[in-house]
Amino acid sequence: MRARIVIFATAAFALTGCSSSYQFEHEGMQQNAKLNPELGVLISTPDDGFYGQKKYPNSAKATVQTIKSEFLKYSKNVDITQDCKGKQCLQSIDNQQYGYYIEPVILHWEDRNTEWSGKSDKVEIQIITYDAKTHQIIKDARFSGKSKWMTLGGDHPQDLLKDPTEEYINSLYQ
């Protein structure tokens, strides 16, 4: 009987390390604001992510591609720009073509050798959604993700982006 308890406890502990975890913070949501799928979306490219002194090339590209693919579920006109960032982009956006401007910011990006070190990959992203005509923030959300403790290799911070990004963008349209 005791052996069964030990096996069950070990399996339960192992399974708790087999799923990624996420945390959300939503701010600035206009009351009942829902995006119009008929309006275009312009997404700026953030700076690449970093952890300490280490910069992660292509982390910005992975981030905007994830965001774009989720917006394409709702809007046919979704573009990415590398020409401008932040408020500069908001001031120069063609609001006849784009109804919304999306400003992603990579706050933390940590790619660890989890399978060897036991240290999880981590990511923290902020996504600010603006009305292109009024320049008002529609929603400002921040989410962080932490990879599962037990991996078989191949997990990276960009793998933590899809689920929370999908949840955030769903909240904008539904």
Side-chain angles (χ1 to χ4, degrees):
M1 181 65 152
R2 186 174 183 144
R4 287 185 189 171
I5 293 173
V6 170
I7 291 171
F8 178 75
T10 302
F13 177 74
L15 288 175
T16 60
C18 291
S19 65
S20 299
S21 60
Y22 303 98
Q23 289 184 326
F24 278 93
E25 293 177 30
H26 298 276
E27 298 175 9
M29 181 69 171
Q30 294 177 2
Q31 192 69 356
N32 298 323
K34 297 296 176 194
L35 302 191
N36 180 348
E38 301 296 317
L39 300 178
V41 176
L42 182 66
I43 306 165
S44 65
T45 303
D47 294 328
D48 279 321
F50 60 91
Y51 174 65
Q53 299 299 316
K54 182 169 173 106
K55 195 171 187 177
Y56 291 96
N58 297 318
S59 57
K61 182 178 180 181
T63 300
V64 294
Q65 288 299 330
T66 299
I67 294 169
K68 180 180 180 179
S69 69
E70 293 303 320
F71 269 107
L72 282 169
K73 293 178 180 178
Y74 296 97
S75 177
K76 293 178 185 170
N77 182 18
V78 181
D79 292 316
I80 296 170
T81 183
Q82 295 180 343
D83 297 334
C84 59
K85 294 181 190 300
K87 298 285 185 182
Q88 172 201 4
C89 222
L90 187 58
Q91 300 302 324
S92 63
I93 193 170
D94 176 1
N95 61 24
Q96 297 301 314
Q97 184 176 2
Y98 303 106
Y100 307 106
Y101 166 60
I102 309 303
E103 180 186 7
V105 181
I106 300 174
L107 302 169
H108 185 91
W109 193 279
E110 189 175 347
D111 192 1
R112 305 304 283 266
N113 289 326
T114 305
E115 56 277 3
W116 302 110
S117 69
K119 295 180 180 178
S120 299
D121 295 332
K122 296 177 186 172
V123 67
E124 185 175 359
I125 306 290
Q126 180 180 17
I127 303 175
I128 307 167
T129 303
Y130 293 92
D131 182 304
K133 287 187 181 182
T134 67
H135 298 184
Q136 297 295 310
I137 293 176
I138 296 172
K139 193 169 189 179
D140 182 350
R142 185 182 288 220
F143 60 83
S144 59
K146 182 177 172 182
S147 69
K148 54 192 169 206
W149 176 72
M150 290 182 66
T151 69
L152 299 175
D155 286 352
H156 301 285
Q158 60 266 31
D159 300 329
L160 300 170
L161 295 174
K162 186 185 182 327
D163 291 343
T165 302
E166 179 180 35
E167 182 178 328
Y168 171 70
I169 293 169
N170 283 342
S171 76
L172 294 172
Y173 286 95
Q174 297 179 354

